[in-house]
Amino acid sequence: MDEITLKALAKINLGLDVVRRREDGYHEVRMIMQTIHLYDLLEIQKIREPGIQIVSNLSFLPVNENNLVYKAARLLQEEFALTVKLTKRIPVAAGMAGGSTDAAAMLYAMNQLYDLGLSRRELMKRGVQIGADVPYCLMRGTALAEGIGEKLTQLPPMIKCPVLIAKPSISVSTRFVYQNLKLDEQTNHPDIDALMKDIREKDFDGVCAHMGNVLESVTIPNYPVIAEIKQQMMRSGAKASMMSGSGPTVFGLFEDGETAKRALREMKRSGLAKQVYLTTIYNNRRK
């Protein structure tokens, strides 16, 4: 095999809770991670010249060792000769694991191109060296993430439904959000256990009722446009709307495609978001 093309799928958080801040400064979390059909495209080809050449449709992305795709390739193979065309569609720095899923796809590609014979579990163990979300992006599907996000438990597939994605033209620092998160008796924690029960029972209304993201308590007061996007989605017929990760991306879940398409048009007309996509829940598992 001399070339391979892969879709690197984005994720949303159906539930995100922060349990505590550890002494080492990291935060312990309990999250329900969910893959969606929004993706970046990686076209990878072996070449004669040594090194890795990355080209992207986004001029501001690093194409050197600061890119997670480069780090993923280097993790499995010290010497290589590759060209990577990275077409980004997942919003950057948006709480959707865009960089992590690209790295996961690169690990998978290296394993195939160089016939390394590593299992998915072995790739996941290596992937955590790049980032806490990389193992999940290799697993895909519906999963409970604990620890700092690296402890994963596969869950039954989430009910498939339309998902509207909207990212405003702002950037949110994950470090800022976690540093300003207050964990006390007033903190409104989402019920992750109830959410898992809803997923197991295929209870769509229950999922929508129990969705929650504790990080909204920091991000929304500092970036009110996130609340405006959520309100716009609900007015357009979303059954639930929430910020993904530390933001600023907002997603909405819909019962039917026609309502979701209308919501897409209305979101674009509102001018609240710079990037708007309509996609679906991904619930097929890569073996």
Side-chain angles (χ1 to χ4, degrees), residues 84-257:
V84 182
K85 182 181 178 184
L86 173 59
T87 304
K88 292 288 295 179
R89 291 180 71 242
I90 302 170
V92 176
M96 301 188 73
S100 294
T101 194
D102 293 343
M106 193 65 191
L107 290 175
Y108 182 87
M110 294 293 287
N111 193 38
Q112 298 295 311
L113 286 171
Y114 291 96
D115 198 22
L116 301 179
L118 297 171
S119 68
R120 186 177 67 173
R121 182 63 58 183
E122 288 169 325
L123 288 175
M124 289 167 65
K125 286 180 180 177
R126 288 161 174 77
V128 76
Q129 298 175 47
I130 302 170
D133 282 345
V134 175
Y136 166 72
C137 292
L138 282 158
M139 174 186 281
R140 292 181 170 179
T142 312
L144 170 68
E146 297 176 289
I148 61 170
E150 86 290 4
K151 298 177 183 176
L152 298 170
T153 304
Q154 190 92 60
L155 297 174
M158 166 65 183
I159 301 161
K160 197 158 187 176
C161 66
V163 183
L164 182 61
I165 302 292
K167 179 186 179 292
S169 56
I170 57 172
S171 296
V172 174
S173 164
T174 300
R175 181 184 294 271
F176 169 82
V177 173
Y178 276 94
Q179 284 180 341
N180 287 275
L181 178 65
K182 292 180 173 62
L183 296 174
D184 53 33
E185 57 274 8
Q186 273 78 49
T187 304
N188 186 19
H189 293 276
D191 191 339
I192 300 298
D193 291 325
L195 191 52
M196 286 193 290
K197 182 173 181 287
D198 297 328
I199 290 169
R200 290 191 178 100
E201 295 177 354
K202 307 296 184 189
D203 182 354
F204 183 69
D205 289 337
V207 168
C208 292
H210 288 119
M211 277 171 37
N213 183 345
V214 73
L215 299 182
E216 286 188 344
S217 64
V218 177
T219 312
I220 287 179
N222 285 279
Y223 303 95
V225 68
I226 293 172
E228 293 179 51
I229 293 174
K230 288 179 61 177
Q231 291 161 7
Q232 174 63 42
M233 286 194 183
M234 296 303 289
R235 283 196 298 269
S236 295
K239 294 290 290 184
S241 180
M242 194 174 81
M243 182 181 79
S244 185
S246 56
T249 300
V250 175
F251 69 91
L253 302 185
F254 291 80
E255 276 189 305
D256 66 274

Side-chain angles (χ1 to χ4, degrees), residues 2 27 36 46 64 78 82 117 119 153 160 182 224 232 238 250 255 267 287:
D2 290 327
H27 289 78
I36 57 174
K46 290 182 181 178
N64 54 18
E78 279 298 320
L82 292 170
S119 68
T153 304
K160 197 158 187 176
K182 292 180 173 62
Q232 174 63 42
V250 175
E255 276 189 305
M267 181 60 69
K287 301 298 183 186

